[in-house]
Amino acid sequence: IERSNLFLVPLDRHREWYRYHHLFHDLLSRELTETEPELVPELHRRAADWYEENGDPESGLEHADASGDKARVARLVASLAPPAYQSGRIKTVEAWLDRFGDEAELEYYPAVAVIGGWIHALQGQATDAERWLDIAMRGADNGALPDGSTSARPWIALLRAAMCEDGVEQMLND
């Protein structure tokens, strides 16, 4: 099939793994969207399941987002962002956080808000860090966090202490 130039691109040197050419992908995606649009979110959900089950949660994140499952996106961002940031993939993490631009919506995902606060604080963006911290505080009790905590309050206290915006005494209390 590859030698016949049928829209396949090799993914390895041994020519064992292939993917469809992006133009063929675009054509098939457009046809699906036009003929059976109700299937698109379900197929993205299934793709997200597959990627997560097969050890590629970052690809699963993209499909979860395309499926419209914001809670799943938040869970994946909360677990993927810290190691991605620590490995120097700052722009990637910022793009993930940009998916949560609406403050009212972000209150439902305090783990993402705390991580956003940390990312901004670590980059010296105090105003943005404070805004994300405020959002996290408003949504502190909205569900479980990736580490199993039932509240974001300990995460918030640690971030507040690190930022030391209310003085040393409050930092020690936090």
Side-chain angles (χ1 to χ4, degrees), residues 74-110:
R75 177 180 55 80
L76 289 169
V77 167
S79 65
L80 293 171
Y85 180 83
Q86 291 168 354
S87 69
R89 298 176 54 216
I90 298 166
K91 292 296 179 192
T92 299
V93 173
E94 288 175 343
W96 293 340
L97 293 174
D98 286 345
R99 296 168 196 232
F100 296 90
D102 178 17
E103 289 188 16
E105 178 185 58
L106 187 55
E107 286 181 30
Y108 289 102
Y109 310 109

Side-chain angles (χ1 to χ4, degrees), residues 3 18-20 34 39 50 54-55 60 64 67 74 76 86 89 96 100 104 109 112 124 139:
R3 283 188 297 260
Y18 294 86
R19 70 165 172 79
Y20 285 115
E34 289 175 0
L39 283 179
W50 188 90
N54 287 279
S67 76
L76 289 169
Q86 291 168 354
R89 298 176 54 216
W96 293 340
F100 296 90
Y109 310 109
V112 174

Side-chain angles (χ1 to χ4, degrees), residues 50-80:
W50 188 90
Y51 278 116
E52 280 195 80
E53 290 166 8
N54 287 279
D56 188 1
E58 194 168 319
S59 294
L61 169 64
E62 299 305 319
H63 286 284
D65 192 35
S67 76
D69 188 346
K70 206 64 159 183
R72 186 179 201 171
V73 171
R75 177 180 55 80
L76 289 169
V77 167
S79 65
L80 293 171

Side-chain angles (χ1 to χ4, degrees), residues 2-20:
E2 178 193 8
R3 283 188 297 260
S4 301
N5 196 22
L6 295 177
F7 297 107
L8 286 180
V9 177
L11 296 176
D12 63 356
R13 286 185 238 166
H14 305 290
R15 295 187 147 20
E16 293 177 5
W17 287 90
Y18 294 86
R19 70 165 172 79
Y20 285 115

